[in-house]
C-alpha cells in the first residue's frame, strides 16, 4: 500500500474531530463476560460511558449517574439496581463510592468507574472482566436470574 493510501485509511479510521469517543477492544466484546450481560446491564454501562465522555474522559472513578439519569436513558427503575450489580459482578464497572437515597442539597450519589479504563487518581485499569470464565459467567447469570 502506498504512503498516501495508508494516510487516507488512517484518517478514515480516526474518531470524528472534536467528538468524544471511547474504545472497546475486540477481546472485550467477544468475552464470556460481555456475552453474559443483560440488556439492562449494557444500558447501564452505556449511560456511564456517556457520562465519562461528558467529562472529557477525566473523571473515571468519580462518574455520577443517578437513578433519574438511568430512567431518562430508558432503564426501568426497578431494573437499575440489578443491572448495576450485574455489570459490577461481570467486571465492567466499579462502584467507587456507594450512594444512598437523598433529597435536597445534601445528596449522596453513587460514583462509578469503567473498569477497562484507568481511574482518575492514576490507578491502572483493572480489566476484571478478563477473569470471568464459564463458571463465573454462570454464577453471575444465575445471580441475576434469582427473584
Amino acid at each position: 500500500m502506498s504512503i498516501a493510501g495508508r494516510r487516507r485509511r488512517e484518517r478514515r479510521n480516526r474518531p470524528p474531530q472534536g467528538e468524544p469517543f471511547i474504545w472497546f477492544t475486540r477481546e472485550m466484546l467477544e468475552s464470556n463476560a460481555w456475552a453474559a450481560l443483560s440488556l439492562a446491564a449494557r444500558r447501564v454501562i452505556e449511560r456511564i460511558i456517556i457520562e465519562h465522555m461528558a467529562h472529557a474522559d477525566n473523571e473515571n472513578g468519580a462518574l455520577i449517574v443517578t437513578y433519574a439519569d438511568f430512567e431518562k436513558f430508558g432503564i426501568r427503575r426497578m431494573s437499575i439496581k440489578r443491572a448495576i450489580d450485574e455489570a459490577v459482578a461481570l467486571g465492567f464497572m466499579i462502584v467507587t463510592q456507594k450512594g444512598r437515597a437523598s433529597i435536597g442539597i445534601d445528596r449522596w450519589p453513587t460514583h462509578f468507574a469503567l473498569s477497562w479504563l484507568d481511574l482518575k487518581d492514576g490507578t491502572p485499569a483493572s480489566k476484571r472482566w478478563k477473569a470471568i470464565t464459564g463458571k463465573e459467567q454462570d454464577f453471575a447469570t444465575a445471580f441475576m436470574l434469582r427473584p
Side-chain angles (χ1 to χ4, degrees), residues 67 76-86 98:
Y67 271 48
R76 293 182 334 190
R77 188 170 193 84
M78 61 190 257
S79 302
I80 295 170
K81 169 116 175 61
R82 180 171 278 186
I84 291 170
D85 291 345
E86 179 182 349
K98 183 130 174 63

Side-chain angles (χ1 to χ4, degrees), residues 23-89:
W23 55 267
F24 293 91
T25 64
R26 179 177 179 178
E27 179 186 21
M28 187 170 83
L29 295 175
E30 291 178 341
S31 70
N32 288 332
W34 191 263
L37 283 170
S38 68
L39 180 59
R42 286 181 198 222
R43 299 286 290 161
V44 161
I45 293 168
E46 290 166 0
R47 181 58 185 88
I48 292 170
I49 288 170
I50 290 169
E51 194 66 23
H52 181 65
M53 290 188 294
H55 292 281
D57 303 341
N58 292 322
E59 295 295 317
N60 196 31
L63 300 170
I64 297 171
V65 182
T66 65
Y67 271 48
D69 294 332
F70 286 125
E71 280 185 297
K72 286 179 197 168
F73 197 63
I75 305 167
R76 293 182 334 190
R77 188 170 193 84
M78 61 190 257
S79 302
I80 295 170
K81 169 116 175 61
R82 180 171 278 186
I84 291 170
D85 291 345
E86 179 182 349
V88 169

Side-chain angles (χ1 to χ4, degrees), residues 110-143:
T110 301
H111 293 221
F112 297 100
L114 299 167
S115 69
W116 69 93
L117 302 173
D118 293 345
L119 271 59
K120 171 185 176 176
D121 63 5
T123 305
S126 70
K127 298 180 183 170
R128 288 181 31 243
W129 57 270
K130 284 185 174 186
I132 303 296
T133 61
K135 192 163 39 169
E136 290 90 352
Q137 175 187 349
D138 293 341
F139 169 75
T141 304
F143 171 76

